[in-house]
Amino acid sequence: MNWNDHINYLELHPPEPFSFEECMAFLNRSDKEILHRCEGDHLFKLIKIDGQTILMKIMYINKVIRVEFPMGETSKFIREKTVEYIWEWFDLQRDLVPFYQLSESDKVLKPLVENFYGLRIIGIPDFFEALAWAILGQQILLSFAYTLKERLVKTYGESVEWGGETYWLFPDASEIGNLNVDELKKLQLTTRKAEYLIGVAQAVSTGALTKDQLGSLTEDMQIKSALMALRGVGAWTADYVMMKALGRPSAFPVGDAGLQNALKQQLGLGRKPTLNEMNELAKNWSGWEGYATFYLWRSLYEPIV
DNA sequence: ATCCAGGAACTGT
DNA sequence: ACAGTTCATGGA
């Protein structure tokens, strides 16, 4: 992690290729998102470090990511953790060169990489949030998934006011693990989603399942099996979490409906590609299936012209 | 109205 | 292993 400490801000030096604009375009994809806020070129996000809520104001100036602390946090420890958080959030430890090399000879990826050059997988560093978001998003429209997330966060999450805006934290697993199904159904989660979410929350809050423990496993399949042992976590959810929270660029949520639609569009098919066709295409993406998926998702809300 | 959505568990074979 | 069914609701 390459960064400098200044009195009133931090400077992070991301490795090339990196495009803050492309990452912001992804972050700004829904106006119903309440866990961060895009205001022009500035990005605001509240995080919790060592029991303290920290508001970050992030901008990009002369190839440098500048992070300010509007609420005035200064401890050395918090600054280090903030850098770690952003590094993980924007996947800055990744060397994208191999991905871009294999994309050159790939008819699907080549135009995507040219259009969204410098985009990195925007992760969800909070492991429980990633699991919960995946469960909320199962088999419903993304817009409704955002509605459910908003209700969950505003009902059970912590918040801070600053500059006339409210900033939210995703609820702790321990908070959600102590709820019962009926309480979540009031937010219009289905019975299933409520059961899944509570079960997963309990697994996380008791430490039966931890990010560190899963991250220490070397094989993707080991992680995937451990995740799928949870009720409500199938192959798609496991791959999604590996992609967004565990930094596995090879995770491939192959059954994903959005992925199918994106491929249909990119390939000019009159129908959705079959599972076999997608696996055939993905043979050329070996090790980077998650990145290919992320770029394809990106193409959905801003088609290549 | 009808169909599907960034699926998963359950059931029957 | 594999296909068919159920869940369950908002949006187009």
Side-chain angles (χ1 to χ4, degrees), chain A residues 127-143:
Chain A
F127 178 54
F128 173 61
E129 180 193 332
L131 273 163
W133 175 235
I135 288 169
L136 291 178
Q138 288 169 3
Q139 186 62 13
I140 57 172
L141 293 175
L142 208 46
S143 59

Side-chain angles (χ1 to χ4, degrees), chain A residues 10 17 19 38 67 72 111 140 152 167 169 181 188 190 199 207 263-264 267 295 298 301 303:
Chain A
L10 309 178
S19 166
C38 300
V67 184
I140 57 172
L152 191 71
Y167 296 90
L169 290 173
V181 170
Q188 279 183 282
T190 62
L263 281 170
K264 173 186 169 184
L267 295 169
Y295 272 66
R298 174 70 177 80
Y301 52 89

Side-chain angles (χ1 to χ4, degrees), chain A residues 92-123:
Chain A
L92 294 180
Q93 82 292 352
R94 192 83 45 209
D95 178 11
L96 286 190
V97 172
F99 174 59
Y100 283 180
Q101 279 172 349
L102 74 83
S103 299
E104 284 171 22
S105 60
D106 190 285
K107 64 181 176 186
V108 174
L109 297 184
K110 193 168 192 289
L112 297 177
V113 161
E114 286 171 0
N115 263 268
F116 309 130
Y117 189 80
L119 173 67
R120 287 166 182 269
I121 289 182
I122 304 301

Side-chain angles (χ1 to χ4, degrees), chain A residues 213-261:
Chain A
Q213 163 227 326
L214 291 177
S216 70
L217 300 173
T218 51
E219 298 299 322
D220 282 1
M221 271 315 294
Q222 295 176 284
I223 304 178
K224 192 165 173 176
S225 303
L227 288 169
M228 287 179 66
L230 295 167
R231 184 161 177 270
V233 178
W236 177 87
T237 302
D239 280 316
Y240 183 87
V241 170
M242 289 165 68
M243 220 181 123
K244 297 282 279 187
L246 300 174
R248 299 283 169 152
S250 50
F252 187 36
V254 61
D256 181 77
L259 180 64
Q260 287 193 325
N261 290 331

Side-chain angles (χ1 to χ4, degrees), chain A residues 55-305:
Chain A
L55 181 63
M56 304 186 290
K57 180 180 181 182
I58 303 168
M59 62 209 86
Y60 190 67
I61 303 168
N62 295 329
K63 301 206 168 204
V64 174
I65 299 172
R66 178 190 289 220
V67 184
E68 297 176 359
F69 302 99
M71 291 165 57
E73 318 301 332
T74 54
S75 100
K76 181 77 178 170
F77 179 76
I78 284 173
R79 286 162 175 252
E80 287 170 356
K81 290 294 176 187
T82 301
V83 173
E84 281 178 29
Y85 186 92
I86 292 176
W87 222 262
E88 185 179 352
W89 194 16
F90 289 94
D91 200 33
L92 294 180
Q93 82 292 352
R94 192 83 45 209
D95 178 11
L96 286 190
V97 172
F99 174 59
Y100 283 180
Q101 279 172 349
L102 74 83
S103 299
E104 284 171 22
S105 60
D106 190 285
K107 64 181 176 186
V108 174
L109 297 184
K110 193 168 192 289
L112 297 177
V113 161
E114 286 171 0
N115 263 268
F116 309 130
Y117 189 80
L119 173 67
R120 287 166 182 269
I121 289 182
I122 304 301
I124 304 176
D126 178 342
F127 178 54
F128 173 61
E129 180 193 332
L131 273 163
W133 175 235
I135 288 169
L136 291 178
Q138 288 169 3
Q139 186 62 13
I140 57 172
L141 293 175
L142 208 46
S143 59
F144 186 53
Y146 276 109
T147 301
L148 293 179
K149 180 167 92 167
E150 182 179 10
R151 288 177 186 159
L152 191 71
V153 169
K154 287 188 174 174
T155 308
Y156 300 108
E158 197 179 329
S159 69
V160 162
E161 308 273 340
W162 184 82
E165 299 285 342
T166 306
Y167 296 90
W168 295 91
L169 290 173
F170 197 79
D172 284 337
S174 56
E175 187 87 15
I176 304 301
N178 283 328
L179 301 176
N180 59 52
V181 170
D182 286 338
E183 290 174 289
L184 287 179
K185 283 179 78 171
K186 284 179 197 162
L187 307 182
Q188 279 183 282
L189 275 77
T190 62
T191 307
R192 294 268 170 85
K193 279 197 201 315
E195 290 170 353
Y196 297 167
L197 194 56
I198 291 168
V200 164
Q202 289 172 349
V204 171
S205 65
T206 60
L209 195 73
T210 71
K211 185 176 175 178
D212 287 345
Q213 163 227 326
L214 291 177
S216 70
L217 300 173
T218 51
E219 298 299 322
D220 282 1
M221 271 315 294
Q222 295 176 284
I223 304 178
K224 192 165 173 176
S225 303
L227 288 169
M228 287 179 66
L230 295 167
R231 184 161 177 270
V233 178
W236 177 87
T237 302
D239 280 316
Y240 183 87
V241 170
M242 289 165 68
M243 220 181 123
K244 297 282 279 187
L246 300 174
R248 299 283 169 152
S250 50
F252 187 36
V254 61
D256 181 77
L259 180 64
Q260 287 193 325
N261 290 331
L263 281 170
K264 173 186 169 184
Q265 220 169 71
Q266 295 305 313
L267 295 169
L269 300 174
R271 53 169 178 77
K272 290 180 187 175
T274 65
L275 205 60
N276 283 339
E277 287 169 332
M278 294 200 291
N279 277 316
E280 197 60 36
L281 287 166
K283 282 182 181 171
N284 191 43
W285 307 340
S286 183
W288 295 92
E289 294 87 342
Y291 254 91
T293 300
F294 196 72
Y295 272 66
L296 281 159
W297 281 343
R298 174 70 177 80
S299 74
L300 279 175
Y301 52 89
E302 188 179 303
I304 294 180
V305 286

